[in-house]
Amino acid sequence: MNEASIFTTSLQCVVESDRLAARWRCPHSVTRKSLYFRFRKRCEYFFHRWFLTCRFCLCPSFFPPKPKSKKRKPSFRRLLKTSSVKIENKTKNRRFKHENADKKHRKEKKKLRAALKDSSIRTPRPLEVYKKKPEEELEEDEDDDFLETLPTDMIEEDDLEQMKAMARKASFVTRDLSSSEPVHSKKRKGGQSTESYEKLPRKMRKEEQKEIIHLLPIKDKSRLIPQSMEKPVVQKEDDENEEDDAEMELSEKEEDEVEEAVPLTAEERETLRAQKLTEKKLRIAMLGSAIISDPNNNVKKLKELRGMLVETDSYVAVTVRKLVMVSLMEVFKDITPAYRIRPLTEEEKDAKVRRETQQLREFEEGLISQYKFYLENLEQTIKDWKQKKLKRSQAVALPAYRGLAEVAVRCVCELLVALPHFNFHNNIIVVLVPLMNDSSKKVSDMCCEAMKTLFKEDKLGYASLAAVKVLSGMIKGRHFNVRPEVLKTLMSLRIREVDLKKDTEDTAPKKRFLNNKEKRKSLSRMQRKWKKAEEKLEKELLEAEASENKDKKVKLHTETLNIVFLIYFRILKKAQKSVLLPAVLEGLAKFAHLINLEFFDDLLNVLQNLIRTGDLTTRESLHCIQTAFNILSGQGDVLNIDPLKFYTHLYKTLIGLHAGAPNDDIIIVLHCLDVMLTKRRKQVTLQRAMAFVKRLCTLSLHVLPNASIGIMAANRAVIHAFPKCDLLLDSESQGSGVFLPELDEPEYCNPQNTSLWELHTLMRHYQPVVRKFASHLSLGAPSEGSGALGVNLSRRSPGQLFEDYSFRDMTFNPPVGAPTTKKRDYFTIGPALLDQQLKKQVDKALSVAAAADEASLDFSQALTQTST
């Protein structure tokens, strides 16, 4: 049989089987399967080779395809519209459904297994027992007695065993129908009979003076044996203790009533107060030391210590509250961590953590709550004092609330400075800022000093920004009716760098690195290697310079400075005649170099108008001049402005200064001279410089010595900047004209026709440093030689010399030496004279004197002898 015949025969069989299968409406008939196996047995080689290769073509229905899903496949456009997130969510939902179905199936299987196991373990329960009448109970007892008397020999052993087995298997018939528990009760995962026993309610017999303690059961092979014991009765002792406590309380109350009823003398009251105060102090010290020694375990004692803030004993209430306030402040400063505690999220609360982490969380939670309550107590004390409220307890009198409030303010100020990073710091700022303008000078000064310290010690800038925002709101809300000291606190801000150079950095050309071709042409192999390492290092350094902390700091400082300038400009615009104007001008003079270039024109016009009005004091006008030149010395170099009016006003103002109160204004003059003459030497004419040197020498005659030293140091700097000023040291006039000292224009007063005769007067000054400077300037201020100054004087600025030689502490610098004591000259008689020749002459003189006493002296003979 060839392959073709085998193929045709098999094809006929397949067609016949299909016809039969279609007649019986069976897609996979038995005949087709039997035919397949019959052909396989008959044709081992050909049919095996041919049919195995073509069976899918001959009989595709024999291997039925996988059922197609009813869902339509999404088109390509729909797949493009569907986001990847949506597809992921669909797959996750489908997976979760399968997992939930599997879990339900597993749970049902476990429930079934547990029910079968429980049914085999459970012991049969008796039917409900209804309460019967006493007569029926008596009849049943008689029947039971009768049954017990019957012999058991009448029942065979096989029958007894069968009855016991039936009793064990009984479930529904013998079950207690009153219980709502099903036959196959639920059991927990991995549950045992001990757990089901623990779930059962414990019923104790109600007997008089008897209590049953349920112990752990004993587990047998077939059942659990409960264990219990009676609790010993000790009720009488407890009653006795309660009676003793009640008697103690009554006795204490009676003693208090007796103390209140019996009037005490002043000495007894003082003794009683000292005794109570000592007890309270010991208690405060004990609690504070316990908390500081182990804060994690003793954080709960903060609540007990804080409870003493509401002390009700009128004898020691004020003192105890003050001590507790200060003690809690020191405790919080000591145990507070160096980071901000944030609240936990719900996920973090539910998550399982280690024991140490849980203890840390409990400590932080307790610390935050107690710190919050403590701050609320301090704030409430301050509010009660401000509103003059009296508490219901009346333990503290109203006049004593002032002292309590001052201590509370001091504690809040200390916490503001010591914990700027911790929680509720912004709340402390909100409490303290209104108190800076308080009517009580002590409270106001305390708050202003705390704010200055905060500004000086704040390195990051977050606390300073928050405080400046609150200050701005308070000043605006009170319509600029605040004390000048409030505005002067802004002078302590540590703002040295702001985001003003951003535009210049963007416009500046960036450093260009060489290409590979350029490197090969111009550099050798070793040079290229070094150049590559150098460029890599430069890139790393550029990345390090643009650090995140520095950028944040500059951003915070810029925002803070914008708010400060907003405060200053509001006052200049709306309250020019306010008492805050000197503080505003002083602040502008300090931060003028950080002002944006857009405001320069308007600000200079405002300052010129203020000077032109003439309503300003000497100090205010000097601050205006300093502000203008600080603006022009920084970014104002690009402006083409000639500040001649400011030079003229300063020249006119100098002659009005003297050794009285305006002597403190000399420091502002020295700063102005440094900016106006030394740093702007290219924009200043020689005539103007010589006029200022002459006016300053005249001023140095009628000011205090420290001001004279500072002024002559400024003259020395001007002479070094303008060497031709040595014309003033010559007594001969240079050119035509006469010096006009009363003229207020420095350009037209002819300073070249005068000389510095004031230096000769200052050379005889009582202050030695003034004498040194005067002789140094008279020699032309040389840098070397015998007339040069020492290093300690030449390297210090005029402002530093003014501060160093100040008379503020009523002391001389350098100190005046003590007068020398005159010793009496006397001779010792005898061998004390060591020179032998001198001793002989003394002896001879003494012998002559002794002889003269005996005989009269003839002076005429002595004269003739001396003449010859």
Side-chain angles (χ1 to χ4, degrees):
M1 184 181 289
N2 57 4
E3 294 180 4
S5 62
I6 292 171
F7 175 74
T8 54
T9 307
S10 61
L11 185 62
Q12 289 176 1
C13 293
V14 169
V15 171
E16 184 65 19
S17 63
D18 287 338
R19 186 177 62 80
L20 293 173
R23 181 183 296 176
W24 291 101
R25 297 178 181 178
C26 178
H28 310 292
S29 61
V30 180
T31 58
R32 187 176 299 177
K33 293 181 180 180
S34 62
L35 181 64
Y36 173 79
F37 290 110
R38 189 166 64 252
F39 275 143
R40 185 176 178 182
K41 290 179 181 179
R42 290 176 61 185
C43 306
E44 292 179 356
Y45 175 75
F46 294 104
F47 189 79
H48 180 74
R49 188 178 64 182
W50 179 265
F51 186 75
L52 287 179
T53 55
C54 302
R55 58 181 176 176
F56 293 103
C57 299
L58 296 175
C59 185
S61 62
F62 184 75
F63 299 96
K66 294 181 181 180
K68 294 183 179 181
S69 62
K70 296 180 181 180
K71 295 183 180 180
R72 293 178 61 187
K73 292 183 178 180
S75 61
F76 182 70
R77 288 185 178 180
R78 190 167 184 83
L79 284 172
L80 287 176
K81 291 180 181 179
T82 307
S83 63
S84 59
V85 178
K86 193 172 181 181
I87 294 171
E88 289 178 3
N89 292 338
K90 284 184 178 181
T91 54
K92 286 180 182 179
N93 293 337
R94 194 177 295 113
R95 187 173 68 252
F96 288 155
K97 284 182 182 178
H98 288 303
E99 289 178 359
N100 292 335
D102 294 341
K103 284 181 181 178
K104 287 181 181 179
H105 187 61
R106 286 196 298 270
K107 284 182 180 179
E108 288 176 358
K109 284 185 177 180
K110 287 181 180 179
K111 286 179 182 178
L112 183 60
R113 287 196 297 269
L116 293 172
K117 189 176 180 180
D118 194 18
S119 63
S120 63
I121 294 173
R122 184 179 296 277
T123 55
R125 296 184 179 181
L127 292 170
E128 277 191 355
V129 179
Y130 297 98
K131 292 183 179 180
K132 299 179 181 180
K133 297 179 181 180
E135 297 176 357
E136 295 178 357
E137 289 179 359
L138 292 172
E139 290 177 0
E140 285 185 358
D141 293 340
E142 291 176 358
D143 294 340
D144 293 338
D145 295 339
F146 175 73
L147 289 172
E148 286 178 359
T149 55
L150 287 175
T152 56
D153 300 337
M154 298 173 66
I155 303 174
E156 295 181 359
E157 293 182 359
D158 297 337
D159 296 335
L160 279 172
E161 291 178 0
Q162 187 176 3
M163 290 172 66
K164 289 179 181 178
M166 289 174 64
R168 290 194 199 100
K169 294 180 182 179
S171 63
F172 177 76
V173 178
T174 59
R175 182 166 75 87
D176 187 3
L177 297 176
S178 62
S179 62
S180 60
E181 185 182 2
V183 179
H184 307 293
S185 61
K186 295 181 180 179
K187 295 190 74 177
R188 292 176 64 184
K189 294 181 181 180
Q192 296 178 357
S193 57
T194 55
E195 295 180 4
S196 61
Y197 175 81
E198 290 176 357
K199 284 187 175 182
L200 294 174
R202 298 179 180 178
K203 298 178 181 179
M204 294 182 289
R205 298 178 182 178
K206 296 181 180 179
E207 296 181 1
E208 295 181 359
Q209 298 181 358
K210 286 186 179 181
E211 293 183 9
I212 298 174
I213 301 173
H214 287 267
L215 305 176
L216 292 174
I218 299 173
K219 187 176 180 182
D220 199 0
K221 291 182 179 180
S222 59
R223 60 194 181 94
L224 293 172
I225 303 170
Q227 302 290 322
S228 61
M229 64 174 290
E230 292 184 1
K231 186 178 180 180
V233 180
V234 289
Q235 190 174 1
K236 294 182 180 180
E237 296 179 0
D238 295 340
D239 293 342
E240 290 176 359
N241 293 334
E242 290 177 1
E243 290 176 0
D244 294 338
D245 295 339
E247 289 177 359
M248 290 286 289
E249 290 177 0
L250 289 172
S251 62
E252 288 177 358
K253 289 181 180 179
E254 289 175 358
E255 288 177 1
D256 295 338
E257 291 176 359
V258 169
E259 288 178 358
E260 292 177 358
V262 177
L264 299 175
T265 61
E267 186 178 354
E268 291 175 349
R269 284 198 300 270
E270 191 64 29
T271 306
L272 181 62
R273 181 182 179 280
Q275 183 181 357
K276 290 183 177 181
L277 191 60
T278 305
E279 293 176 359
K280 297 292 182 181
K281 284 181 180 179
L282 290 174
R283 184 62 181 164
I284 293 169
M286 184 180 66
L287 291 173
S289 60
I291 294 167
I292 292 173
S293 61
D294 191 3
N296 291 329
N297 296 327
N298 296 328
V299 71
K300 294 182 179 179
K301 292 187 179 181
L302 281 171
K303 184 177 181 181
E304 184 179 353
L305 186 58
R306 188 178 56 81
M308 299 177 74
L309 282 173
V310 290
E311 179 65 36
T312 56
D313 193 351
S314 58
Y315 283 101
V316 293
V318 178
T319 308
V320 169
R321 291 187 185 187
K322 289 180 181 179
L323 292 173
V324 173
M325 284 180 187
V326 178
S327 301
L328 279 171
M329 176 196 70
E330 296 295 337
V331 167
F332 281 121
K333 284 168 63 176
D334 193 35
I335 68 173
T336 301
Y339 55 88
R340 189 180 183 87
I341 299 173
R342 62 172 182 83
L344 297 176
T345 60
E346 294 296 331
E347 295 179 356
E348 290 175 343
K349 290 179 181 178
D350 297 337
K352 292 183 178 180
V353 294
R354 293 184 300 175
R355 185 178 178 183
E356 293 81 4
T357 308
Q358 186 64 29
Q359 287 180 354
L360 181 61
R361 287 182 178 180
E362 291 175 357
F363 165 70
E364 290 177 348
E365 186 178 355
L367 178 65
I368 281 290
S369 61
Q370 295 303 321
Y371 186 60
K372 179 185 176 183
F373 292 143
Y374 172 62
L375 292 177
E376 288 176 353
N377 287 335
L378 295 179
E379 184 182 4
Q380 191 62 41
T381 304
I382 298 169
K383 283 184 179 179
D384 292 343
W385 168 60
K386 296 294 291 181
Q387 299 173 1
K388 296 183 179 179
K389 285 185 178 180
L390 194 63
K391 293 292 184 181
R392 294 179 181 177
S393 62
Q394 296 182 359
V396 180
L398 191 59
Y401 256 96
R402 181 183 180 86
L404 274 177
E406 289 177 357
V407 175
V409 170
R410 179 192 163 197
C411 293
V412 176
C413 292
E414 290 287 336
L415 293 174
L416 175 77
V417 176
L419 305 176
H421 61 278
F422 199 56
N423 301 58
F424 309 112
H425 191 260
N426 292 340
N427 304 74
I428 295 174
I429 292 172
V430 172
V431 172
L432 279 185
V433 167
L435 295 175
M436 294 171 66
N437 195 39
D438 194 74
S439 56
S440 174
K441 191 174 185 303
K442 185 177 180 180
V443 174
S444 177
D445 293 344
M446 203 185 301
C447 297
C448 290
E449 287 299 324
M451 201 62 67
K452 287 180 182 179
T453 310
L454 176 67
F455 289 154
K456 289 177 183 177
E457 296 180 358
D458 186 20
K459 296 180 180 179
L460 299 177
Y462 292 101
S464 299
L465 178 60
V468 169
K469 283 182 178 178
V470 180
L471 268 172
S472 175
M474 186 197 73
I475 294 169
K476 183 181 177 183
R478 299 195 178 186
H479 304 288
F480 314 108
N481 187 18
V482 296
R483 300 177 62 196
E485 288 78 6
V486 176
L487 213 58
K488 286 181 181 178
T489 56
L490 299 175
M491 297 284 294
S492 302
L493 285 168
R494 293 181 58 183
I495 300 177
R496 299 175 183 174
E497 187 179 0
V498 293
D499 197 7
L500 293 177
K501 300 179 181 178
K502 188 176 180 181
D503 298 335
T504 58
E505 288 177 359
D506 293 341
T507 56
K510 295 182 179 179
K511 190 173 182 179
R512 182 174 171 269
F513 296 101
L514 295 175
N515 297 330
N516 291 330
K517 291 182 179 179
E518 295 175 352
K519 290 178 183 177
R520 289 174 186 174
K521 288 180 181 179
S522 59
L523 303 175
S524 64
R525 183 177 180 182
M526 186 59 67
Q527 288 175 344
R528 287 199 303 269
K529 187 175 181 181
W530 282 102
K531 192 72 176 176
K532 185 177 181 181
E534 186 180 353
E535 288 178 357
K536 184 179 179 181
L537 181 61
E538 285 181 358
K539 286 182 180 180
E540 291 177 357
L541 289 174
L542 288 173
E543 291 176 359
E545 284 180 0
S547 59
E548 186 179 359
N549 293 334
K550 187 177 179 181
D551 293 342
K552 282 184 178 180
K553 188 176 179 180
V554 171
K555 186 178 180 181
L556 289 170
H557 285 183
T558 307
E559 189 175 354
T560 305
L561 194 65
N562 290 337
I563 299 172
V564 171
F565 284 140
L566 180 63
I567 297 170
Y568 290 160
F569 293 159
R570 276 177 185 166
I571 296 171
L572 284 176
K573 184 178 180 181
K574 298 181 180 179
Q576 289 187 358
K577 295 184 179 180
S578 173
V579 294
L580 302 176
L581 188 61
V584 170
L585 295 173
E586 192 175 351
L588 285 173
K590 181 177 181 180
F591 301 117
H593 62 286
L594 300 174
I595 300 176
N596 199 348
L597 195 63
E598 300 173 357
F599 303 109
F600 282 2
D601 241 351
D602 298 334
L603 189 56
L604 286 174
N605 291 332
V606 170
L607 295 175
Q608 285 182 359
N609 293 333
L610 287 172
I611 291 173
R612 193 182 302 115
T613 56
D615 298 333
L616 302 179
T617 62
T618 305
R619 189 178 184 87
E620 292 172 2
S621 60
L622 290 174
H623 278 308
C624 284
I625 297 168
Q626 186 182 1
T627 304
F629 281 98
N630 280 339
I631 291 172
L632 296 174
S633 65
Q635 299 181 42
D637 289 338
V638 297
L639 300 176
N640 190 13
I641 298 173
D642 184 17
L644 180 61
K645 294 180 180 179
F646 294 105
Y647 280 102
T648 304
H649 187 72
L650 179 62
Y651 185 77
K652 183 174 63 176
T653 307
L654 287 176
I655 203 66
L657 301 176
H658 52 80
N663 188 75
D664 295 335
D665 299 337
I666 299 295
I667 186 68
I668 307 172
V669 173
L670 297 176
H671 289 309
C672 291
L673 291 171
D674 183 39
V675 180
M676 295 167 68
L677 298 177
T678 308
K679 292 182 179 178
R680 291 174 61 87
R681 66 188 69 171
K682 294 181 180 180
Q683 290 87 2
V684 179
T685 61
L686 180 61
Q687 297 290 330
R688 193 181 299 176
M690 292 170 66
F692 270 99
V693 170
K694 176 62 179 176
R695 181 61 62 93
L696 289 171
C697 283
T698 306
L699 177 62
S700 61
L701 291 173
H702 51 269
V703 291
L704 293 178
N706 63 328
S708 297
I709 294 169
I711 289 169
M712 284 191 287
N715 271 342
R716 178 177 177 269
V718 174
I719 291 172
H720 286 172
F722 299 92
K724 291 185 179 181
C725 285
D726 59 354
L727 295 172
L728 296 172
L729 300 175
D730 192 359
S731 59
E732 296 180 359
S733 62
Q734 302 289 332
S736 61
V738 180
F739 175 61
L740 303 173
E742 70 278 358
L743 192 65
D744 293 335
E745 293 292 337
E747 298 283 348
Y748 309 109
C749 64
N750 299 323
Q752 72 278 1
N753 294 325
T754 185
S755 61
L756 301 178
W757 55 265
E758 295 89 356
L759 296 177
H760 293 280
T761 307
L762 293 170
M763 288 171 67
R764 294 187 292 272
H765 200 277
Y766 68 90
Q767 170 67 268
V769 182
V770 176
R771 295 198 298 267
K772 283 183 182 180
F773 266 100
S775 60
H776 173 69
L777 292 177
S778 63
L779 295 174
S783 301
E784 296 177 354
S786 60
L789 288 175
V791 178
N792 58 338
L793 294 176
S794 60
R795 291 189 177 181
R796 283 189 280 183
S797 65
Q800 289 177 349
L801 290 169
F802 177 84
E803 294 292 339
D804 293 342
Y805 292 98
S806 176
F807 285 86
R808 192 171 299 165
D809 298 332
M810 299 303 292
T811 56
F812 288 97
N813 188 12
V816 179
T820 57
T821 58
K822 294 183 179 180
K823 298 182 179 180
R824 293 181 179 180
D825 297 332
Y826 62 92
F827 294 98
T828 57
I829 301 171
L833 295 173
L834 301 177
D835 193 356
Q836 297 294 331
Q837 188 177 359
L838 180 61
K839 185 180 178 182
K840 289 178 180 179
Q841 291 179 0
V842 170
D843 293 339
K844 184 179 179 181
L846 289 175
S847 62
V848 170
D853 290 337
E854 297 177 357
S856 60
L857 295 174
D858 190 0
F859 290 99
S860 61
Q861 294 179 359
L863 287 172
T864 56
Q865 288 178 1
T866 55
S867 63
T868 57

